[in-house]
Amino acid sequence: MCGIIGYIGNTSPIDILLNGLKHLEYRGYDSAGIALGNLNRLMVIKAAGKLANLQQEISQSSLLSSPNRGIGHIRWATHGKGNAVNAHPHTSLNGNLAIVHNGIIENYKDLKAELINQGYVFQSETDTEVIAHLIGFYLQQGSNLHQATRQACSRLHGAYALGVISQAEPHKLIAVRHHAPLILGQSRSGNYIASDIPALIGQADSTLSLEDDELAELSENNISVFAADDTICHKTFKPLTMSADSIDKLGYRHYMLKEIHEQGNITRQLLHKRLPSAEAEVNLPDINISSSRLQAIRQIEIIACGTSLHAAEVGKYLIEELTGISTQVMAASEYLCRRSLSSEHTLCIGVSQSGETADTISAIRKAKEHNAHILILTNRPDSSITRYADSLLPLEAGIEVSVAATKSYTAQLVAFYLLSLYLAEHLHSVDAAQLSALKQELLQIPTQIETILQNDQEIKACAQQFNHSRNFIYMSRGINVATAQEGALKLKEISYINAGAYPAGELKHGPIALLDETLPVVSILIPGGSGYAKLLSNNEEAKARKAPLIAITSSQDKELNKLFNHVITVPQVSELLSPLTTNIPLQLLAYYIADSLGRDVDQPRNLAKSVTVE
Ligand code: M6R
C-alpha cells in the first residue's frame, strides 16, 4: 500500500528519496511526493500518477540549496482521489512542517471539524492533513517537535507510521508508529526511516524495526529511540544483509516471472533447512507449543486473506488428513464479523506473506484475546503480525516484489506440509512408514517444479489461444479445489479477465448454465486421486456444451488429448502433494495471458502488495 522513506544526513536527499520510493513502487500507488528541508526552509513537490511524473516535477522545480533532510511518500488513495493535492507530504498551516503518513486516522472527521472551528484551512480530502495541523498547533503552543508529535498522536485513533520534519528544528527528523510498520536505518552518510526494508537496500547498512508507540529522533549523526512513556530505549541495529539482487529483475521481463522461476530453489532451501532427509524429524525451532498444550488442542483455525487463504485451504486438508483434528479456514474479515469460538484448546494459525494485512492482524488479535495459541506463517518475521505470535514458521521466500503472490504461496504450501508432518509426528497420528514415504515424496518436489518451469510451451500455446476470452472457469475436486481458486485469482488479478472457481461437483448445480464455446474450463486432475473419474465426467458434460477444455494433470493417458483442447502435464505425484506442482502451470498461464494482453503484470490496477486497511 502506501510507502514512506525519510533521510537526514550529509548527502543530498533527493536521489535517496527517489531510490527508496522506486523500491517501494511494488506496493501499489497512485501519487507520490517529497518534502526537502535546508536550514532555512522547506519545499514540497508532489505529482499524481507514477514516480516518473514526480521526477519530471522535480526536474522542473528550482530546488532548495543544500538540503540536509527529506521525506518521501507514495500514496494509495483511501480518503480522497489519487491526485497531487491529496498526495503526501502534507504541511501545517504556515508551511513550516511537513509529514508523511501510512495508515488510517479513524477520528479524522471530528479532529478536522475541531481544527476548522479554530480557523484552520484544509487543502486536501485526506485524513493525514489533520495530523500536520495538529502537530503545527502544538508547536505554536510552545512544544518542541518531539513533544508536539506526541501530543498530536495522543489525539489520534487508528493506525499510523509518521515521518515529520519542521523548520522549527532543522537538524531533526521524527518518526513514530502505531499499528503500522516503520523501520530505522543507519549509514555513514546519514540516517533513514522507511515503511519497508526494500526502500533501504543499497542505502542503509543496518536497520531496526520501531515498535508500536516508540518515537525516534534522527539527526545527521545520531538516532535516539524513546518508549511510549518517553524514556530512552537502548536498541541494537541489525546489519542489512539483503542484496540489491533480491529486488532486481535479473534479466526477467517481469518480477512475477522471476519469482515464479525462483520456486524450485526456494522450496529446496526451505526443505533442506527443515527436513534434511526423509528419515529426519521435521525441525521447526520456533514452534513453542508444549506437548501437553498440543495434546489438549481440540480445534485448529486458520485465518488469512487472498492467496494466503488458498494456502490455508490446502493446509486444512493436510492437517485433517494427517492429524484428524477438525480444522476451519476463515477469511480474516469474516472472522472479525462473527462470534469467536477460539479458546485455550484452539491452535490458531495466521497466514500472511507480508505480515502487515490489517484484516489478518485484527483477526489474530481477536483470537489471542480468546486465549488461542497463535502460530504465524509469514515471509516477514519482523512484521507487525508477529507481535501476536506464540509460535512462528518463517517462509524464507525472499522479498516478493510482484503484487501477485506466487513464490510466497508455494512457500506457504511447503510450510503447511512441514507443519502437518510435524503435528503428526508429535501427536503420533500417522505411522512412521507412511510419514517417511510422504517426506520422501516431498523432497522430490523442488526438482519437479523445475521440470514444469522448463517445459512451458503448451502453457504458452494455451495462453495465446484463450487470451481474448472474457471469462474462465477453474475446477477440481478434493485438495486441488484450492489450487483452482488460486489459479482463478491469479488470472483475475493480473489479466482483468473474470474467472470463477468451483468444486467440480458444483458445476451441475448452477455454473453449467454459463457454458458455451466462449468459456474455457480449466481442470486439475490427478489420476488415482479422489474423484478423477468423476472429474472426467464433469469435463464430458462441459464439452457437450461446447466449452473449450484445458487439463492440468499428471496423467500420461493419450486419450485425454481427445477430450481436452490442451493437456498441460506435471510430473507424477500423489494427490496429497499435487498442489505444489499443479499450481505452477496456473501461475504461468495467468502470466502469459496477462503479458500477451499488455497488462501491467507486476503492478495490476487497483491492487496493493499489502492491504493495511480493513
Ligand atoms: O500479505 P498477505 O499474505 O496477508 O496478503 C493477503 C492478500 O492481500 C494477498 O494474498 C493478495 O490476495 C495478493 N494480491 C494475491 O496475489
Side-chain angles (χ1 to χ4, degrees):
M1 194 147 287
C2 305
I4 288 177
I5 173 85
Y7 170 77
I8 181 161
N10 53 30
T11 309
S12 168
I14 299 176
D15 287 345
I16 293 172
L17 298 181
L18 288 174
N19 268 337
L21 293 180
K22 185 103 203 113
H23 289 163
L24 293 175
E25 268 194 305
Y26 73 98
R27 299 171 69 89
Y29 68 106
D30 43 44
S31 57
I34 59 168
L36 302 170
N38 63 13
L39 300 189
N40 304 313
R41 67 183 186 97
L42 296 183
M43 85 178 289
V44 174
I45 308 169
K46 309 200 272 191
K50 296 284 176 185
L51 274 182
N53 300 352
L54 176 65
Q55 268 163 314
Q56 198 180 350
E57 284 291 324
I58 292 173
S59 66
Q60 288 166 358
S61 307
S62 53
L63 296 172
L64 283 185
S65 63
S66 313
N68 68 330
R69 67 202 190 288
I71 48 180
H73 191 265
I74 49 174
R75 172 174 184 261
W76 190 83
T78 55
H79 297 68
K81 290 180 221 64
N83 57 26
V85 175
N86 290 330
H88 302 204
H90 288 284
T91 51
S92 61
L93 207 52
N94 57 13
N96 280 346
L97 170 126
I99 68 160
V100 285
H101 164 223
N102 277 6
I104 285 199
I105 304 307
E106 287 158 8
N107 61 335
Y108 86 100
K109 282 193 180 146
D110 295 343
L111 293 169
K112 190 168 178 174
E114 180 187 317
L115 286 159
I116 288 172
N117 266 339
Q118 291 178 37
Y120 282 79
V121 179
F122 281 75
Q123 310 290 334
S124 76
E125 303 159 272
T126 64
D127 52 341
T128 300
E129 198 179 346
V130 298
I131 312 174
H133 289 317
L134 273 179
I135 302 177
F137 168 80
Y138 289 114
L139 278 175
Q140 284 199 330
Q141 303 289 304
S143 298
N144 64 28
L145 191 57
H146 176 141
Q147 291 162 340
T149 305
R150 280 287 195 211
Q151 285 163 315
C153 289
S154 72
R155 308 285 316 278
L156 306 177
H157 300 163
Y160 50 84
L162 295 177
V164 186
I165 54 175
S166 164
Q167 261 337 88
E169 295 181 51
H171 292 289
K172 221 168 253 178
L173 163 59
I174 298 275
V176 63
R177 66 161 274 179
H178 181 76
H179 295 342
L182 202 57
I183 292 158
L184 307 177
Q186 285 178 325
S187 79
R188 274 203 212 106
S189 63
N191 295 315
Y192 307 78
I193 63 168
S195 52
D196 201 359
I197 290 279
L200 300 181
I201 293 178
Q203 316 216 83
D205 303 326
S206 57
T207 62
L208 167 76
S209 259
L210 213 53
E211 296 293 325
D212 257 1
D213 301 316
E214 286 180 346
L215 179 147
E217 280 187 25
L218 292 80
S219 67
E220 287 86 344
N221 46 27
N222 187 50
I223 299 183
S224 306
V225 179
F226 299 85
D229 62 2
D230 264 337
T231 53
I232 193 112
C233 306
H234 298 285
K235 299 273 187 173
T236 312
F237 280 69
K238 280 196 236 152
L240 177 53
T241 49
M242 246 176 250
S243 73
D245 273 6
S246 58
I247 47 166
D248 194 284
K249 281 191 208 148
L250 296 180
Y252 283 95
R253 188 169 156 74
H254 292 102
Y255 283 109
M256 182 176 176
L257 192 60
K258 174 195 168 210
E259 287 159 2
I260 289 173
H261 278 268
E262 284 173 348
Q263 295 177 109
N265 248 338
I266 287 165
T267 50
R268 185 172 291 111
Q269 279 168 16
L270 190 54
L271 286 170
H272 182 70
K273 196 160 171 186
R274 306 286 174 218
L275 182 65
S277 77
E279 291 70 45
E281 285 201 347
V282 178
N283 173 28
L284 301 179
D286 297 320
I287 299 221
N288 299 315
I289 187 160
S290 67
S291 174
S292 56
R293 179 100 192 248
L294 186 57
Q295 300 291 340
I297 292 297
R298 293 290 163 265
Q299 61 158 354
I300 295 180
E301 290 171 338
I302 317 182
I303 294 174
C305 305
T307 287
S308 299
L309 189 65
H310 300 146
E313 290 288 356
V314 175
K316 164 191 163 74
Y317 198 101
L318 296 172
I319 291 170
E320 289 189 338
E321 194 67 23
L322 295 185
T323 69
I325 301 177
S326 166
T327 303
Q328 280 198 63
V329 172
M330 274 161 291
S333 52
E334 289 302 309
Y335 182 83
L336 289 167
C337 296
R338 48 155 251 181
R339 178 181 160 195
S340 169
L341 299 180
S342 311
S343 73
E344 71 272 26
H345 299 297
T346 308
L347 170 61
C348 177
I349 305 173
V351 191
S352 176
Q353 185 285 129
S354 62
E356 300 296 347
T357 301
D359 285 334
T360 313
I361 294 175
S362 299
I364 288 297
R365 194 185 305 132
K366 181 170 165 186
K368 189 150 182 105
E369 282 161 12
H370 284 79
N371 302 319
H373 182 97
I374 305 291
L375 163 58
I376 300 296
L377 263 69
T378 182
N379 201 26
R380 306 298 295 271
D382 283 339
S383 59
S384 304
I385 201 167
T386 59
R387 272 178 284 135
Y388 304 101
D390 299 306
S391 293
L392 198 63
L393 210 170
L395 303 176
E396 303 187 28
I399 296 257
E400 190 173 62
V401 174
S402 184
V403 164
T406 53
K407 63 176 181 174
S408 63
Y409 177 70
T410 300
Q412 285 168 346
L413 294 187
V414 172
F416 270 118
Y417 283 92
L418 291 167
L419 177 65
S420 47
L421 287 167
Y422 174 96
L423 293 174
E425 273 169 2
H426 285 76
L427 293 167
H428 307 290
S429 50
V430 174
D431 71 57
Q434 200 187 336
L435 276 182
S436 158
L438 206 54
K439 289 176 183 174
Q440 191 74 54
E441 216 192 336
L442 186 56
L443 293 172
Q444 307 306 315
I445 291 289
T447 311
Q448 292 172 335
I449 290 177
E450 279 158 358
T451 306
I452 300 168
L453 292 171
Q454 282 154 17
N455 296 294
D456 62 358
Q457 303 81 354
E458 188 67 24
I459 306 170
K460 278 184 178 155
C462 185
Q464 279 306 323
Q465 185 176 349
F466 295 114
N467 60 5
H468 286 105
S469 304
R470 294 314 308 144
N471 294 292
F472 275 70
I473 281 183
Y474 286 64
M475 64 178 187
S476 191
R477 285 174 179 260
I479 196 167
N480 277 307
V481 172
T483 313
Q485 286 167 336
E486 175 56 13
L489 178 69
K490 224 66 323 165
L491 185 70
K492 282 184 279 205
E493 282 187 299
I494 62 168
S495 72
Y496 319 146
I497 294 172
N498 184 39
Y502 306 97
E506 281 295 301
L507 201 66
K508 58 187 175 293
H509 296 291
I512 198 165
L514 298 168
L515 297 182
D516 63 18
E517 63 282 3
T518 67
L519 181 55
V521 176
V522 183
S523 296
I524 302 136
L525 334 86
I526 301 298
S530 58
Y532 179 72
K534 284 188 181 140
L535 246 170
L536 286 177
S537 306
N538 300 138
N539 274 283
E540 294 284 2
E541 288 152 18
K543 190 165 182 109
R545 281 138 189 104
K546 300 196 180 112
L549 303 180
I550 300 157
I552 312 290
T553 183
S554 54
S555 169
Q556 303 292 322
D557 183 359
K558 294 278 176 263
E559 288 295 300
L560 292 185
N561 291 311
K562 294 184 187 156
L563 178 59
F564 291 93
N565 301 58
H566 288 273
V567 178
I568 296 165
T569 43
V570 295
Q572 275 182 342
V573 64
S574 69
E575 189 185 28
L576 200 63
L577 286 159
S578 62
L580 285 164
T581 55
T582 52
N583 177 53
I584 310 290
L586 296 181
Q587 294 174 344
L588 287 169
L589 183 64
Y591 172 80
Y592 287 128
I593 289 177
D595 189 34
S596 69
L597 294 173
R599 305 295 192 228
D600 188 351
V601 172
D602 286 330
Q603 287 173 45
R605 68 184 183 199
N606 305 336
L607 291 178
K609 186 64 185 162
S610 40
V611 183
T612 49
V613 290
E614 278 182 29

